[in-house]
Amino acid sequence: MRMKSILIGAAAALALAPAANAGRGDAGHVNIIYWQAASILNPFLSGGTKDVESSSMVIEPLARYDENGNMVPWLVTEIPTVANGGVSEDLTSITWKISPGILWSDGSPFTSADVVFTADYCMDETGGCQQLAKFSDVTNVEALDDLTVKVTFGKPKPFPYGPFVGGESPIIQKAQFADCMGAKAPECTEQNFGPHGTGPFRVTEFRANDVISMEANPHYRDPNKPAFATLTFKGGGDAAAAARSVLETAEFDYAWNLQIDPAILTQMAGAGKGTVVSAFGTGVERMMVNLTNPDAALGDKRSTVEGGPHPFLTDAAVRRALSIAIDRNTLAEVGYGAAGKATCNVLPAPAIYASTANDECLVQDIAKANAILDEAGWAVGSDGVRAKDGVRLSILYQTSTNAVRQDTQALVKQWWSEIGVETELKNISASVFFGGDQSSPDTFQKHFSDIEMYTNLFNGTDPEAYMNSWTCAEIPNPGNNWLGSNMPRYCNPAYDALSAELSGTADIDERARIAKAMNDMLMQEGAMIPLVHRGRVSAHSNTLGGVVLNTWDSELWNVADWTRN
Amino acid sequence: MTDVTSDIRPARSQWADVWDQFKTHRGAVMGMGFFVFVCLLVAIGPYLWTLDPNFIDIRAKNQSPSMLHPLGTDQLGRDTFSQVLAGGRVSLLVGVVAMALSLLLGTFIGVLAGYFKRLDGALMRLTDLFLALPLLPLLLVMIMLFRDTLRAAFGPETGIFLLIVFAIGITSWMNTARIVRGDVLALKEQEFVLAAQSIGTPPYRMIMRHIIPNVMSPIMVSATLGIANAIITESALSFLGLGFPSDFPTWGRLLFDSTNFMTLNPERVIWPGLAISLTVLSVNYMGDGLRDALDPRIRGR
Amino acid sequence: MLNYTIRRLLFTIPTLLFISFIIFLLLDLAPNDPTGNLPMTITPDVREKIRESLGLGQPIHIRYFKWCVQFFVNEPLNIVEQYFDITIGQGDRLRVSSWSTRSPVGDLIAERMPQTLWVVGMSYVIGILIAVPIGVYSAYRQYSWFDQTGTFVSMVGFSVPTFFTGVLMIVIFSVYLGWFPSKYDTLHVVTDWESFVFQVRQSIMPVSVLALFNASTISRFMRASMLDNLNQDYVRTARAKGMTERIVVLVHVLRNSLIPVVTVIALGIPQVFGGAIITEQVFSINGLGALLIQGIQGADIPLVQTLTFIFAVLIVFFNLIADILYGILDPRIRYD
Amino acid sequence: MLDGAAPILDVSDLKTVFTTRTGEVHAVNSVSFDLAPGELLGVVGESGSGKSVTMMSLIGLLPMPPAEIRGGTVMFEGRDILSMSPDELRDIRGSRIGFVFQDPMTSLNPTFSVGFQLMEPLRKHMGMNKKQARARAVELLELVGIPDALPRLSDFPHQFSGGMRQRVMIAIALACDPKVLIADEPTTALDVTIQAQILELVRELRHKLGMAIIWITHDLGVIAGIADRVMVMYGGQIVEQAPVRELFARPQHPYTRALLETLPSVTGERTERLKTIEGQPPAMREHPVACPFRARCVKAMDICARKNPPIVTLAGEHDVACFWDAKTGEARHAG
């Protein structure tokens, strides 16, 4: 009798299984390809998107942003606000209430001690935490009880959602990382390659810069998720090859960041095996103008404020002419297709922050650019290049190596040649350009060129930290080991004042006004030349269900919900 | 009927003989013809086909061959024909100069090592050393150290050209040296060399008259491979972002850029690929012909 | 011969020391800061401490000595310990660690070695197996259609870069025909016949791309060498003895022709261990080539030094093999 | 012919043409001769006169292409060699007909031991096993006068001197007791004392083994010492043929006479310069319709440019192809 019912039950399960991936692991195996391979699974030690996103399937933050940029509780019961009492009235503390019953993948309970430990881990000054900015102004993190954590800030924090929110600030397990504090952090290979987590998957094998294999976390909080029993996260190759493996050969189910010629992508999507998904976030492909002198003859003072101002880019007329000579719509169409749109702002999203004050540049106007330069006294010389007082408008324009960027460079070079500006193009391998090696002359921080181009963005929806990038203190120079994000070497006390004002303002509309003003100041003073508001472009196979592209957090944020159609 | 006496030939220089023999090799003559044709084409072509290879006409992007663009256009609407012409100048120059440099070095070191026993050990360890240094780090270090200096001295294109040619030249001579040394060692045992030595032929003449002509065939093979190798290494450097500026077309770069458009515009990949292959093929046939022509056993036949 | 071999073997020691010193110097003097790749938030004084712990403050000969001890004594012992699961001496020697991933370089290399050896090594073996007969027959029937076709194919074979042939193969065999996977699965383990078949399927494309290139090069050398020998007097002698063409070509001529080709082949073997950067990238094989280029770009000096040195050891070793083979094949060259 | 015995080798009307990139070269033009068993036939002529090519044509040793045998028959032991299959021909080469080449330095394979090279034909033609072949090889080396033969089997050619190498070559050629031995300038590359030793060896072996020998040389002095009969070649054809004494006593062809004059005279003045034949051999681009020697011939006549002189047999088995009559000093009546 018992035997029989078991058999019937098994038969029923067999019959039902293909119809709906009801239970954990029913959907089998899923393959994800990131053409940049993950090198570590600890986002506190690496800021690379590939590392943050691969680890987001294993370790999780307390709250996340959803696809619309709204904050959603993840490991907590609700988002603390002033209204619900989670954020103190004076905006100096925030209290998170952890959902009960969450277990680590090793079966131990997830508690407030882990959260406190994570804060200590990242804030240890010898540890070199990459996400330290998330913890700025934090003075204390304490466990009120097993499931309650209070974060205290040194000053009123209108936006207290820095720590523990979003894929870049997940919680790591205290028991596992206890011996990895400070200087020892990088040496804990085993922990960094296989952290215990609360996420839907856990690591079974990690090969640095190659491949990660994972399996469903048996202790995941939703007993029916994830649908996939195993997962492979493969790295290597290039964007086109990754797109091909999803869209044309269907070997992989999900491919990330397909910055390739839109014509090729469209053709690949035509094979009918996969779907290209894109969504706009905060990413802007922009040119960083160098306001200091990059002349190699300056030696150590090259591209520093001490080295003196740039011979011609400090002339506002030149920067304006350079900007309006560019046809941004063509750049967007050629390089990004539907996933790009022309923009004149460095802060194009979320919508409340988007300024319209700078839209002059949306339309290319070569004649006007020429007129501006004529007026400013830059006369066309016999070689077709404008010059004034012996200074020629000759620009070294660098970016990372990427087919779309090189196309953009070629187009810009042509337009600039039409206004009498000579351009020399240079491209540098992305791993060197963004690599941060202090002795390499080719990093984007050093900016040993007149103009450099790349995309920058911020996760989440609050622009405060992002807009702080262009304050005087952020200028990279030998004194701070070339650390800093103010590549244009822009320094304006008025801007710094706005920045300070922003961090002290709580009202959302007022914050928007200040952020827009900062954006407009940067644009009108020509510290950078924004080109294209870039969406994220990814692709998933037609058999993969549940993909929701999220540009405010990790793309793999809802991997637990993925299913096999 | 020809008069037999007319066949009594006056003594001629060796090179005239070599040339006579070379002329009889159909493949070699065709190869040489093609090579000269390609050289002339890329040298003169840009004056006849005056479209700027870097001129962008975005409305005319990804076009198939037409009267206006005989080989079509790329993804930015640049004319492929003028790009192939411009690219050929650089690729051929890089290929030939780098190959010549590596052959000269390789033959020089190989002959010295094989001929002078005293130098053998030291030179072969030097060769080992160069072989052991992986090419890429060496190139990267060299390029990082010298790029800015050369760029300042010669401008971005010439500076990089000198650097690339030099870098490829001094990192690819080792195989030639090893092979030449081996051949010279074997040759030294042969009687004609012993005979020449015994009549007191000085080493310089010995090497030029007796050794070099006899190691010509491996050198010729190395030369053929060398040109292809240089052209491809240049494209690999561009691939790593260390080569010429991206708006500076070379055959390797054109091929690389068009690879992703393989299914979209298949004709685009053909031109640079064909240009490289045919050039290498023609150099190979020239090498074959030259080897035959230099071989006295065949010449006598 | 034995004497000679032993002498050569002893001679490799100073050679290797010299080469290792040059590699050490070259990378040491290269304009890369070893601490440059550390996270930017590390403060300068912490950074300085790290530099000191790496021994960067010490004079160069001391650093070189330390490096040698580490490389020649500690690391081999570590590997032996790990492999046999035993403890020698104190057992907590420092391991050479990569600066970027912080894991022991030895482990990284061990992780990458299988796929590189399998794909690149296989392509080399297949390349030789194809090249030698083609070279022999092309030379024997010089200027026949076979020779002309072979010449053409091999010229195309090495004048078209692998980034092109690789993608071409993927488009044809993965996209259109769907026969082979376009990405190499480095986690795949061969356990039974079926998994072996999969392993073969996933290796076919990268192996043939590289094999084409290797075969092209080697067959040119083989052909040239055969041509040189086919005109020799001893070939006529062999024919005058009434030997069949088969024996004349495959015994008398081939042996002489192989002498220079063996050098080319032996010297090419270390390149196998260097991986194939472009092919590895096209098929996402992530072997030693990818590791090396990552190390270079990330200024990961311990990784690059180790890989380079292993490379140097292999070069010296195969050089020795080449010389010994030379001696075996060519009795005229005596080593005394 | 000696004793009127049936010839072991009978060549008639052999024509060999080379196709080169610059056109055809008529290397052998209607050559006919025969060889009696045990006879030693000397073949004389300058370099390029077609001596070697004729002999190599006989046994299919010329590379084809570029060489091509355009006609003629070569009867060996009653069978036409030229119509044999390559396999049949190979069975004859090295076993029934042995070949010794000019340059002992390059004629041996440098990478195989002398023993291996010597045992190769034994095993192939005589079907010997390794042991038998080895024993025979030792015998052969001893036969050609190499002392301490057994250990030397494993030596390589470069370990032998020139003369010794030529002895090895002879041993290889004699390995299977050939009926005919073709020696292509076997002593030219050797110094005089070694030459004399080799000559002595051949003379001795000939009597011991009783084979016929074709001895190609440009040195009439050598021929005088050992040959039974001499054949003079010029421009790819036979210009004169006679028993050795007859030829030296009464040379008929102006070319033969010129050759004889180049020999250093034993009685002559020491200061006298050696005579040379002016001019160079013809290039033989076409099938000769005129006398190939006329351009260098001191007795050339009008007819020589119009017609290639046919072979005329004179008294004493003396053949000559010339319009000029040495006896009368006048033009012979051309048929």
Side-chain angles (χ1 to χ4, degrees):
Chain A
M1 177 62 204
R2 263 190 72 202
M3 193 65 183
K4 197 177 176 187
S5 69
I6 288 171
L7 283 172
I8 290 169
L14 276 174
L16 283 173
N21 299 319
R24 176 178 294 162
D26 288 350
H29 186 79
V30 64
N31 279 309
I32 300 172
I33 183 152
Y34 270 45
W35 51 271
Q36 288 178 10
S39 56
I40 199 163
L41 282 179
N42 183 348
F44 295 114
L45 298 182
S46 162
T49 312
K50 59 205 170 65
D51 302 321
V52 172
E53 302 210 344
S54 54
S55 67
S56 77
M57 296 185 287
V58 178
I59 44 181
E60 299 176 306
L62 298 179
R64 277 196 190 285
Y65 297 95
D66 69 8
E67 72 275 21
N68 299 313
N70 301 317
M71 215 177 290
V72 288
W74 207 253
L75 300 176
V76 291
T77 51
E78 61 177 356
I79 300 291
T81 58
V82 178
N84 65 21
V87 178
S88 68
E89 287 293 337
D90 62 355
L91 305 179
T92 55
S93 70
I94 181 169
T95 307
W96 297 92
K97 289 196 181 309
I98 297 167
S99 308
I102 293 176
L103 296 178
W104 288 103
S105 52
D106 62 354
S108 61
F110 174 85
T111 68
S112 53
D114 296 309
V115 182
V116 174
F117 172 79
T118 302
D120 292 345
Y121 177 86
C122 185
M123 292 195 296
D124 188 318
E125 62 170 15
T126 55
C129 175
Q130 288 281 54
Q131 310 299 346
L132 204 53
K134 295 269 179 193
F135 291 85
S136 66
D137 301 324
V138 172
T139 53
N140 189 32
V141 180
E142 58 186 321
L144 299 183
D145 61 47
D146 267 2
L147 296 175
T148 314
V149 182
K150 183 179 175 195
V151 182
T152 312
F153 298 95
K155 61 178 189 180
K157 200 77 178 168
F159 186 81
Y161 308 111
F164 316 125
V165 180
E168 285 159 332
S169 190
I171 313 298
I172 52 175
Q173 192 192 33
K174 181 179 181 181
Q176 191 187 15
F177 281 88
D179 291 335
C180 300
M181 293 287 283
K184 280 200 224 140
E187 272 146 38
C188 288
T189 313
E190 200 182 308
Q191 288 86 343
N192 293 335
F193 284 1
H196 295 157
T198 54
F201 290 96
R202 64 179 187 184
V203 181
T204 49
E205 185 170 3
F206 181 89
R207 294 192 178 183
N209 292 317
D210 181 11
V211 63
I212 312 168
S213 55
M214 298 188 187
E215 62 182 7
N217 175 1
H219 302 289
Y220 188 60
R221 51 190 175 276
D222 186 335
N224 291 325
K225 289 177 181 176
F228 292 101
T230 50
L231 177 150
T232 301
F233 183 96
K234 171 87 176 169
D238 55 50
R244 196 177 288 120
S245 66
V246 169
L247 296 172
E248 294 194 308
T249 67
E251 287 164 70
F252 284 80
D253 297 300
Y254 190 87
W256 156 90
N257 190 15
L258 306 176
Q259 190 183 10
I260 51 177
D261 193 298
I264 299 173
L265 202 56
T266 311
Q267 197 215 13
M268 285 181 178
K273 291 188 167 149
T275 311
V276 177
V277 285
S278 67
F280 285 94
T282 56
V284 173
E285 180 86 0
R286 87 284 301 275
M287 290 176 179
M288 295 297 195
V289 173
N290 191 350
L291 296 170
T292 58
N293 195 345
D295 187 353
L298 290 171
D300 287 347
K301 292 199 166 61
R302 198 177 177 191
S303 284
T304 64
V305 177
E306 295 76 40
H310 195 278
F312 56 85
L313 285 173
T314 41
D315 183 344
V318 172
R319 300 193 305 251
R320 185 165 162 228
L322 290 177
S323 177
I324 61 175
I326 296 169
D327 182 352
R328 290 170 171 76
N329 291 306
T330 298
L331 290 184
E333 182 199 321
V334 168
Y336 305 91
K341 50 194 177 198
T343 184
C344 293
N345 296 304
V346 73
L347 181 60
I352 55 160
Y353 297 108
S355 169
T356 51
N358 315 299
D359 289 352
E360 176 201 38
C361 76
L362 282 180
V363 180
Q364 182 190 33
D365 195 338
I366 300 272
K368 192 163 154 197
N370 271 315
I372 291 167
L373 289 171
D374 285 340
E375 205 175 307
W378 296 93
V380 181
S382 57
D383 55 354
V385 178
R386 287 176 188 271
K388 185 164 87 175
D389 306 333
V391 178
R392 291 169 79 247
L393 291 186
S394 176
I395 289 175
L396 176 61
Y397 173 14
Q398 70 180 18
T399 186
S400 71
T401 305
N402 170 308
V404 171
R405 292 210 164 106
Q406 267 74 76
D407 284 356
T408 304
Q409 279 186 310
L411 283 161
V412 169
K413 178 175 179 170
Q414 171 147 322
W415 292 322
W416 284 353
S417 76
E418 290 171 28
I419 60 167
V421 175
E422 179 186 72
T423 316
E424 181 193 325
L425 305 183
K426 181 172 169 185
N427 57 304
I428 300 155
S429 171
S431 45
V432 174
F433 190 57
F434 299 118
D437 178 2
Q438 293 190 18
S439 54
S440 166
D442 290 327
T443 60
F444 71 138
Q445 286 102 347
K446 287 244 173 105
H447 200 343
F448 287 172
S449 62
D450 302 303
I451 297 232
E452 64 182 8
M453 176 174 77
Y454 57 91
T455 290
N456 205 352
L457 50 77
F458 60 97
N459 276 354
T461 52
D462 185 72
E464 184 184 323
Y466 179 63
M467 295 311 280
N468 273 342
S469 302
W470 298 289
T471 55
C472 300
E474 285 288 324
I475 295 176
N477 62 66
N480 63 8
N481 283 318
W482 299 97
L483 302 174
S485 50
N486 189 349
M487 308 312 165
R489 283 91 169 114
Y490 174 76
C491 186
N492 184 343
Y495 187 87
D496 286 13
L498 280 176
S499 168
E501 193 187 342
L502 181 63
S503 62
T505 306
D507 179 62
I508 187 76
D509 292 327
E510 190 57 12
R511 286 177 72 82
R513 184 193 62 76
I514 298 166
K516 273 189 198 176
M518 292 171 86
N519 172 67
D520 293 349
M521 190 180 282
L522 287 171
M523 294 304 99
Q524 276 145 27
E525 305 222 327
M528 53 192 98
I529 303 174
L531 300 172
V532 176
H533 182 195
R534 275 180 63 191
R536 284 205 190 183
V537 181
S538 294
H540 66 83
S541 114
N542 285 341
T543 63
L544 187 68
V547 174
V548 177
L549 186 60
N550 185 341
T551 59
W552 313 104
D553 205 320
S554 163
E555 282 188 28
L556 304 175
W557 70 299
N558 73 334
V559 69
D561 302 332
W562 287 8
T563 54
R564 184 66 72 192
N565 290 343
Chain B
M1 184 186 139
T2 37
D3 191 18
V4 176
T5 45
S6 68
D7 278 334
I8 297 171
R9 289 175 293 176
R12 304 185 55 182
S13 82
Q14 189 197 356
W15 290 107
D17 274 0
V18 168
W19 172 239
D20 277 350
Q21 181 64 31
F22 185 83
K23 277 192 302 190
T24 65
H25 191 298
R26 200 147 34 96
V29 172
M30 272 164 59
M32 186 155 169
F34 181 81
F35 192 70
V36 170
F37 169 74
V38 169
C39 289
L40 286 178
L41 191 70
V42 300
I44 302 171
Y47 296 106
L48 303 175
W49 183 256
T50 51
L51 227 52
D52 180 353
N54 286 323
F55 179 77
I56 296 171
D57 180 4
I58 200 71
R59 283 153 305 170
K61 65 174 179 176
N62 291 334
Q63 283 193 350
S64 297
S66 64
M67 286 301 286
L68 212 58
H69 302 290
L71 304 184
T73 58
D74 71 0
Q75 79 277 10
L76 294 178
R78 289 174 289 204
D79 181 53
T80 305
F81 185 48
S82 25
Q83 290 218 316
V84 169
L85 289 181
R89 281 187 172 190
V90 188
S91 289
L92 279 179
L93 212 56
V94 167
V96 171
V97 178
M99 175 272 286
L101 186 65
S102 88
L103 275 197
L104 272 179
L105 263 174
T107 311
F108 181 73
I109 292 183
V111 167
L112 283 190
Y115 194 80
F116 299 103
K117 210 175 171 108
R118 272 173 302 130
L119 297 177
D120 191 20
L123 286 177
M124 280 301 107
R125 294 298 80 75
L126 182 77
T127 312
D128 288 356
L129 176 65
F130 268 87
L131 276 169
L133 293 174
L135 184 74
L136 272 165
L138 201 65
L139 283 176
L140 291 171
V141 170
M142 275 175 61
I143 286 171
M144 267 187 296
L145 285 176
F146 303 117
R147 188 180 48 198
D148 283 347
T149 333
L150 284 168
R151 180 175 158 260
F154 300 99
E157 281 98 21
T158 319
I160 292 281
F161 173 81
L162 291 176
L163 197 56
I164 287 182
V165 161
F166 183 72
I168 296 176
I170 71 152
T171 49
S172 55
W173 54 267
M174 295 79 72
N175 267 333
T176 316
R178 292 279 320 203
I179 298 163
V180 168
R181 168 183 172 266
D183 268 26
V184 172
L185 280 182
L187 269 177
K188 256 184 18 182
E189 303 285 324
Q190 289 194 7
E191 267 66 18
F192 74 96
V193 174
L194 295 176
Q197 257 170 349
S198 66
I199 59 167
T201 313
Y204 171 77
R205 279 196 51 197
M206 191 68 209
I207 288 166
M208 295 312 281
R209 290 284 297 275
H210 297 286
I211 305 282
I212 298 276
N214 280 292
V215 295
M216 218 52 205
S217 63
I219 294 179
M220 271 357 280
V221 177
S222 297
T224 320
L225 299 179
I227 286 196
N229 180 43
I231 291 178
I232 290 168
T233 308
E234 184 277 317
S235 72
L237 282 176
S238 301
F239 177 76
L240 295 171
L242 291 165
F244 291 101
S246 62
D247 57 335
F248 201 64
T250 66
W251 283 345
R253 176 187 289 282
L254 289 175
L255 187 62
F256 176 62
D257 285 349
S258 58
T259 302
N260 279 332
F261 290 86
M262 192 185 287
T263 49
L264 206 61
N265 290 48
E267 66 274 7
R268 238 184 93 186
V269 284
I270 295 173
W271 307 119
L274 211 60
I276 299 177
S277 303
L278 288 181
T279 304
V280 172
L281 199 64
S282 67
V283 175
N284 178 66
Y285 275 117
M286 275 160 65
D288 261 9
L290 198 55
R291 195 206 38 228
D292 284 3
L294 285 170
D295 189 334
R297 289 180 302 250
I298 300 178
R299 195 160 74 230
R301 229 159 54 188
Chain C
M1 197 68 209
L2 184 69
N3 229 335
Y4 167 77
T5 311
I6 291 169
R7 223 153 32 85
R8 266 305 310 251
L9 217 50
L10 286 178
F11 196 65
T12 56
I13 293 171
T15 310
L16 278 176
L17 280 176
F18 176 67
I19 290 178
S20 71
F21 184 62
I22 297 285
I23 290 170
F24 176 80
L25 265 190
L26 194 77
L27 289 165
D28 208 60
L29 298 178
N32 289 70
D33 180 353
T35 53
N37 209 37
L38 293 174
M40 307 213 172
T41 40
I42 290 189
T43 52
D45 48 317
V46 175
R47 203 173 278 275
E48 199 45 49
K49 271 184 212 154
I50 297 175
R51 290 176 64 88
E52 262 167 47
S53 73
L54 292 168
L56 292 177
Q58 288 162 320
I60 193 154
H61 59 272
I62 295 182
R63 270 183 292 141
Y64 176 62
F65 177 73
K66 281 188 166 180
W67 184 76
C68 282
V69 170
Q70 179 65 26
F71 206 94
F72 292 109
V73 182
N74 291 354
E75 199 61 17
L77 285 176
N78 282 328
I79 290 166
V80 169
E81 279 183 10
Q82 201 178 357
Y83 192 78
F84 295 104
D85 206 15
I86 47 167
T87 309
I88 305 167
Q90 291 177 331
D92 58 337
R93 278 171 297 268
L94 201 69
R95 298 210 55 182
V96 180
S97 286
S98 148
W99 285 344
S100 63
T101 64
R102 293 285 155 184
S103 55
V105 169
D107 293 358
L108 284 178
I109 293 174
E111 214 168 76
R112 299 300 184 98
M113 194 73 97
Q115 55 260 40
T116 293
L117 278 192
W118 171 261
V119 172
V120 188
M122 181 81 99
S123 72
Y124 202 64
V125 171
I126 291 179
I128 295 169
L129 291 181
I130 297 174
V132 170
I134 288 183
V136 169
Y137 196 74
S138 290
Y140 186 63
R141 293 258 178 266
Q142 197 190 5
Y143 304 127
S144 65
W145 70 265
F146 181 91
D147 181 31
Q148 306 282 15
T149 315
T151 302
F152 186 79
V153 171
S154 62
M155 289 301 133
V156 173
F158 67 72
S159 60
V160 179
T162 48
F163 62 67
F164 175 73
T165 36
V167 176
L168 183 70
M169 290 197 93
I170 288 179
V171 167
I172 295 174
F173 295 107
S174 296
V175 176
Y176 289 134
L177 299 174
W179 289 354
F180 311 122
S182 70
K183 298 268 169 199
Y184 188 91
D185 180 4
T186 45
L187 292 172
H188 183 72
V189 185
V190 176
T191 49
D192 52 13
W193 175 248
E194 210 171 304
S195 59
F196 176 74
V197 169
F198 179 80
Q199 178 63 21
V200 170
R201 278 184 53 222
Q202 76 167 350
S203 334
I204 283 180
M205 289 199 296
V207 166
S208 35
V209 163
L210 286 171
L212 175 68
F213 187 82
N214 289 331
S216 300
T217 320
I218 298 167
S219 72
R220 296 323 290 166
F221 281 109
M222 190 70 230
R223 176 177 178 273
S225 181
M226 281 294 288
L227 283 178
D228 277 354
N229 277 288
L230 276 169
N231 287 316
Q232 299 284 346
D233 287 347
Y234 70 77
V235 181
R236 190 179 55 186
T237 307
R239 290 203 175 108
K241 286 195 293 191
M243 295 295 118
T244 58
E245 284 300 287
R246 209 186 158 73
I247 288 179
V248 170
V249 175
L250 295 185
V251 176
H252 287 263
V253 183
L254 185 62
R255 179 153 180 174
N256 283 278
S257 309
L258 275 177
I259 295 168
V261 178
V262 157
T263 316
V264 174
I265 291 176
L267 291 180
I269 293 175
Q271 318 278 354
V272 170
F273 293 83
I277 290 160
I278 294 175
T279 310
E280 285 184 8
Q281 166 149 3
V282 169
F283 295 97
S284 304
I285 296 171
N286 298 333
L288 289 174
L291 190 65
L292 179 64
I293 196 81
Q294 268 160 9
I296 292 165
Q297 290 183 332
D300 193 343
I301 291 185
L303 180 63
V304 177
Q305 276 179 334
T306 311
L307 277 175
T308 311
F309 188 69
I310 290 178
F311 204 59
V313 172
L314 289 171
I315 295 259
V316 172
F317 177 71
F318 281 101
N319 245 321
L320 181 68
I321 299 271
D323 277 354
I324 292 170
L325 280 178
Y326 226 106
I328 291 171
L329 285 170
D330 190 348
R332 282 170 298 183
I333 295 170
R334 270 173 301 165
Y335 307 97
D336 33 43
Chain D
M1 257 178 271
L2 298 176
D3 312 328
I8 188 162
L9 188 67
D10 190 350
V11 178
S12 66
D13 209 22
L14 185 70
K15 294 191 182 92
T16 303
V17 177
F18 285 87
T19 310
T20 67
R21 294 198 197 94
T22 48
E24 292 188 338
V25 173
H26 293 256
V28 179
N29 295 310
S30 306
V31 166
S32 305
F33 67 91
D34 49 29
L35 183 70
E39 181 187 28
L40 200 157
L41 172 67
V43 181
V44 199
E46 286 169 293
S47 304
S49 61
K51 318 178 294 274
S52 302
V53 175
T54 305
M55 297 313 153
M56 294 213 277
S57 300
L58 296 186
I59 54 170
L61 267 188
L62 289 174
M64 294 188 228
E68 183 196 344
I69 294 176
R70 285 266 170 90
T73 53
V74 177
M75 300 304 289
F76 173 71
E77 294 181 327
R79 296 169 66 200
D80 184 8
I81 289 183
L82 295 184
S83 59
M84 281 182 187
S85 72
D87 275 340
E88 290 173 304
L89 196 54
R90 263 194 285 275
D91 284 340
I92 289 179
R93 274 207 306 260
S95 69
R96 315 295 297 151
I97 302 177
F99 224 112
V100 178
F101 295 104
Q102 176 174 358
D103 189 351
M105 300 304 174
T106 58
S107 293
L108 287 167
N109 191 329
T111 56
F112 288 95
S113 70
V114 159
F116 176 87
Q117 298 187 56
L118 187 48
M119 280 148 69
E120 247 187 334
L122 293 172
R123 300 190 61 183
K124 177 172 164 46
H125 298 299
M126 317 275 275
M128 290 184 183
N129 63 25
K130 212 165 183 168
K131 209 175 152 197
Q132 293 166 320
R134 202 171 175 77
R136 171 76 176 140
V138 174
E139 264 175 53
L140 282 165
L141 285 188
E142 277 165 357
L143 182 71
V144 295
I146 292 179
D148 201 12
L150 186 63
R152 298 227 71 178
L153 281 183
S154 51
D155 280 358
F156 288 91
H158 69 271
Q159 289 159 302
F160 288 78
S161 70
M164 285 296 165
R165 279 192 232 184
Q166 196 61 299
R167 283 173 196 260
V168 172
M169 279 300 292
I170 293 171
I172 291 174
L174 297 181
C176 305
D177 285 326
K179 285 285 158 231
V180 176
L181 176 72
I182 301 175
D184 187 355
E185 311 211 22
T187 57
T188 313
L190 305 173
D191 62 53
V192 183
T193 48
I194 309 291
Q195 241 183 52
Q197 288 171 14
I198 296 284
L199 279 176
E200 190 49 46
L201 174 70
V202 170
R203 202 176 286 152
E204 188 189 312
L205 288 175
R206 179 186 165 205
H207 290 295
K208 211 184 259 177
L209 306 173
M211 67 205 158
I213 297 176
I214 299 177
W215 190 281
I216 302 170
T217 181
H218 56 255
D219 188 346
L220 279 170
V222 170
I223 286 293
I226 60 168
D228 299 320
R229 194 152 56 92
V230 185
M231 190 164 105
V232 182
M233 288 192 72
Y234 187 85
Q237 55 198 54
I238 296 169
V239 292
E240 188 162 7
Q241 185 177 182
V244 65
R245 285 174 195 287
E246 167 72 15
L247 187 94
F248 278 82
R250 285 176 287 279
Q252 294 294 310
H253 199 279
Y255 177 62
T256 314
R257 293 187 157 205
L259 273 182
L260 287 170
E261 279 170 16
T262 62
L263 282 179
S265 160
V266 186
T267 56
E269 291 288 313
R270 276 184 167 248
T271 50
E272 192 185 353
R273 281 195 58 188
L274 291 181
K275 285 195 180 157
T276 53
I277 306 174
E278 294 292 321
Q280 283 185 335
M284 303 188 287
R285 292 273 167 226
E286 307 194 5
H287 190 80
V289 274
C291 176
F293 187 61
R294 73 189 188 285
R296 302 164 75 186
C297 183
V298 288
K299 309 285 185 194
M301 295 172 290
D302 289 347
I303 191 172
C304 300
R306 294 197 307 271
K307 208 170 169 199
N308 199 357
I311 289 175
V312 180
T313 305
L314 309 174
E317 294 180 337
H318 196 142
D319 295 349
V320 66
C322 189
F323 294 116
W324 180 73
D325 192 327
K327 268 185 204 149
T328 60
E330 288 165 13
R332 189 180 285 137
H333 294 289

